[in-house]
Structures are given as structure tokens and as C-alpha cells.
Coordinates of all heavy atoms in Angstrom, one line a residue:
S17 N 122.9 37.7 117.9 CA 122.9 36.2 118.2 C 122.3 35.8 119.5 O 121.8 34.6 119.8 CB 124.3 35.7 118.3 OG 125.0 36.2 119.4
G18 N 122.0 36.8 120.3 CA 121.3 36.6 121.6 C 122.3 35.8 122.6 O 121.8 35.3 123.6
N19 N 123.6 35.9 122.4 CA 124.5 35.3 123.3 C 125.9 35.9 123.3 O 126.2 36.8 122.4 CB 124.6 33.8 122.9 CG 124.6 32.8 124.1 OD1 125.2 33.2 125.1 ND2 123.9 31.6 123.9
L20 N 126.7 35.4 124.2 CA 128.1 35.7 124.2 C 128.9 34.6 123.8 O 128.5 33.3 124.0 CB 128.6 36.1 125.7 CG 127.9 37.2 126.4 CD1 128.6 37.5 127.8 CD2 127.7 38.4 125.5
W21 N 130.0 34.7 123.2 CA 130.8 33.5 122.5 C 132.2 33.7 122.9 O 132.8 34.7 123.4 CB 130.6 33.8 120.9 CG 129.2 33.6 120.5 CD1 128.3 34.6 120.4 CD2 128.5 32.4 120.4 NE1 127.0 34.1 120.2 CE2 127.1 32.8 120.2 CE3 128.8 31.1 120.4 CZ2 126.0 31.8 119.8 CZ3 127.7 30.0 120.0 CH2 126.4 30.5 119.8
E22 N 132.9 32.6 122.5 CA 134.3 32.5 123.0 C 135.2 33.5 122.3 O 136.2 34.0 122.9 CB 134.7 31.1 122.4 CG 136.1 30.6 122.9 CD 136.6 29.3 122.4 OE1 136.4 29.0 121.2 OE2 137.0 28.5 123.2
K23 N 135.0 33.8 121.0 CA 135.9 34.8 120.2 C 135.0 35.5 119.2 O 134.0 35.0 119.0 CB 137.1 34.0 119.7 CG 136.8 32.8 118.7 CD 137.8 32.0 118.3 CE 137.5 31.0 117.4 NZ 136.8 29.7 118.2
Y24 N 135.7 36.5 118.5 CA 134.8 37.1 117.5 C 135.9 37.7 116.4 O 137.1 37.6 116.7 CB 133.9 38.2 118.1 CG 134.7 39.3 118.7 CD1 135.0 40.5 117.9 CD2 135.0 39.4 119.9 CE1 135.6 41.6 118.3 CE2 135.6 40.5 120.5 CZ 136.0 41.6 119.6 OH 136.6 42.7 120.2
N25 N 135.4 38.3 115.4 CA 136.2 38.7 114.4 C 136.6 40.3 114.6 O 135.7 41.2 114.8 CB 135.5 38.6 113.0 CG 136.4 39.1 111.9 OD1 136.9 40.2 111.8 ND2 136.5 38.3 110.8
A26 N 137.8 40.5 114.9 CA 138.2 41.9 115.3 C 138.2 42.9 114.2 O 138.2 44.2 114.4 CB 139.8 41.8 115.7
E27 N 138.0 42.5 112.8 CA 138.0 43.3 111.8 C 136.6 43.7 111.6 O 136.3 45.0 111.2 CB 138.7 42.7 110.6 CG 138.8 43.6 109.3 CD 139.4 42.9 108.1 OE1 139.4 41.7 108.0 OE2 140.0 43.7 107.4
F28 N 135.7 42.9 111.7 CA 134.3 43.2 111.3 C 133.3 43.0 112.5 O 132.1 43.4 112.4 CB 133.8 42.2 110.2 CG 134.7 42.3 108.9 CD1 135.4 41.3 108.5 CD2 134.6 43.5 108.2 CE1 136.2 41.4 107.3 CE2 135.4 43.6 107.0 CZ 136.2 42.6 106.6
G29 N 133.7 42.6 113.5 CA 132.8 42.6 114.8 C 131.7 41.6 114.6 O 130.7 41.9 115.2
N30 N 132.0 40.5 114.0 CA 131.0 39.4 113.8 C 131.6 38.2 114.2 O 132.8 38.0 114.8 CB 130.5 39.3 112.5 CG 131.6 39.1 111.4 OD1 132.5 38.6 111.7 ND2 131.4 39.7 110.2
L31 N 130.9 36.9 114.0 CA 131.3 35.6 114.4 C 132.1 34.8 113.3 O 132.2 33.6 113.3 CB 130.2 34.8 115.0 CG 129.6 35.3 116.3 CD1 128.4 34.6 116.7 CD2 130.5 35.4 117.4
E32 N 132.5 35.6 112.2 CA 133.2 35.0 111.0 C 134.7 34.7 111.5 O 135.5 35.6 111.2 CB 133.1 35.8 109.9 CG 131.7 35.9 109.4 CD 131.5 36.8 108.2 OE1 132.6 37.2 107.6 OE2 130.4 37.1 107.7
V33 N 134.9 33.6 112.2 CA 136.3 33.2 112.7 C 136.6 31.8 112.4 O 135.6 31.0 112.1 CB 136.3 33.5 114.3 CG1 136.3 35.0 114.6 CG2 135.2 32.8 115.0
K34 N 137.8 31.4 112.6 CA 138.3 30.1 112.4 C 137.9 29.3 113.6 O 138.1 29.6 114.7 CB 139.7 30.0 112.3 CG 140.4 28.7 112.6 CD 140.2 27.6 111.5 CE 141.0 26.4 111.7 NZ 140.8 25.4 110.7
N35 N 137.0 28.2 113.4 CA 136.6 27.3 114.6 C 137.3 25.9 114.2 O 137.0 25.2 113.3 CB 135.1 27.2 114.5 CG 134.3 28.4 114.9 OD1 134.9 29.1 115.8 ND2 133.4 28.8 114.3
E36 N 138.2 25.5 115.2 CA 138.7 24.3 115.1 C 137.9 23.2 115.9 O 138.2 22.1 115.9 CB 140.1 24.2 115.8 CG 141.2 25.2 114.9 CD 142.4 25.5 115.8 OE1 142.7 24.8 116.7 OE2 143.1 26.4 115.3
Y37 N 136.8 23.7 116.5 CA 135.9 22.9 117.2 C 134.6 23.8 117.3 O 134.5 25.0 117.0 CB 136.3 22.5 118.6 CG 136.8 23.6 119.4 CD1 136.0 24.6 120.1 CD2 138.2 23.8 119.5 CE1 136.5 25.6 120.8 CE2 138.7 24.8 120.1 CZ 137.9 25.8 120.8 OH 138.4 26.9 121.5
E38 N 133.4 23.2 117.7 CA 132.2 23.9 117.6 C 132.4 25.1 118.7 O 132.7 24.7 119.9 CB 131.0 23.1 117.9 CG 129.7 23.9 117.9 CD 128.5 22.9 118.2 OE1 128.8 21.7 118.3 OE2 127.4 23.4 118.2
M39 N 132.1 26.4 118.3 CA 132.4 27.4 119.4 C 131.2 27.5 120.4 O 130.1 27.5 120.0 CB 132.5 28.6 118.6 CG 132.9 29.9 119.5 SD 133.4 31.4 118.7 CE 131.9 31.8 117.7
P40 N 131.6 27.3 121.7 CA 130.5 27.2 122.7 C 130.0 28.6 123.0 O 130.7 29.6 123.0 CB 131.4 26.7 123.8 CG 132.8 27.1 123.6 CD 132.9 27.1 122.2
P41 N 128.7 28.6 123.4 CA 128.1 29.9 123.8 C 128.3 30.2 125.2 O 128.7 29.4 126.1 CB 126.6 29.6 123.6 CG 126.5 28.1 123.9 CD 127.8 27.5 123.5
F42 N 128.1 31.6 125.6 CA 128.2 32.2 126.8 C 129.5 31.8 127.5 O 129.6 30.9 128.4 CB 127.0 31.9 127.8 CG 127.2 32.7 129.0 CD1 127.1 34.0 129.0 CD2 127.7 32.2 130.2 CE1 127.2 34.8 130.2 CE2 127.9 32.9 131.4 CZ 127.6 34.3 131.3
M43 N 130.5 32.4 127.1 CA 131.9 32.1 127.7 C 132.2 33.0 128.9 O 131.9 34.2 128.8 CB 133.0 32.3 126.6 CG 133.0 31.4 125.4 SD 133.2 29.7 126.0 CE 134.9 29.7 126.5
G44 N 132.4 32.5 130.0 CA 132.7 33.2 131.2 C 133.7 34.3 131.0 O 133.5 35.4 131.6
W45 N 134.8 34.0 130.3 CA 135.8 35.0 130.2 C 135.3 36.1 129.4 O 135.8 37.3 129.6 CB 137.1 34.4 129.9 CG 137.3 33.9 128.5 CD1 136.6 33.7 127.4 CD2 138.8 33.5 128.0 NE1 137.2 33.1 126.4 CE2 138.5 33.1 126.7 CE3 139.9 33.4 128.7 CZ2 139.7 32.5 125.9 CZ3 141.1 33.0 127.8 CH2 140.8 32.4 126.5
T46 N 134.5 35.9 128.4 CA 133.9 37.1 127.6 C 133.1 38.0 128.4 O 133.1 39.1 128.4 CB 133.0 36.5 126.5 OG1 133.9 35.6 125.6 CG2 132.5 37.6 125.5
A47 N 132.3 37.2 129.3 CA 131.5 38.0 130.3 C 132.4 38.8 131.2 O 132.2 40.0 131.4 CB 130.6 37.1 131.1
G48 N 133.4 38.2 131.8 CA 134.4 39.0 132.6 C 135.0 40.2 131.9 O 135.1 41.2 132.6

């Protein structure tokens, strides 16, 4: 995807997750 994201799928390691709002890119806590 060229980016870091808020959350991801622990089973498949992709971005197929429940989004209750548009998932924002480059999350600081994912970087941390």
C-alpha cells in the first residue's frame, strides 16, 4: 500500500478489517 495504517487483519496480514470510519494513513502509534 505504500503506507502505514491504523489497524490490520491479524489472520491474513492485510487491510481487510472492519472500518467504522475511513481508516486514516500513517498512524503515529503504528510507527511507534
Side-chain angles (χ1 to χ4, degrees):
S17 71
N19 219 322
L20 305 186
W21 300 88
E22 183 181 52
K23 57 186 180 288
Y24 69 91
N25 186 304
E27 188 173 24
F28 300 114
N30 57 29
L31 296 175
E32 294 178 9
V33 289
K34 162 71 171 177
N35 288 317
E36 294 169 15
Y37 46 79
E38 185 177 353
M39 186 163 60
F42 188 73
M43 295 299 293
W45 70 354
T46 302

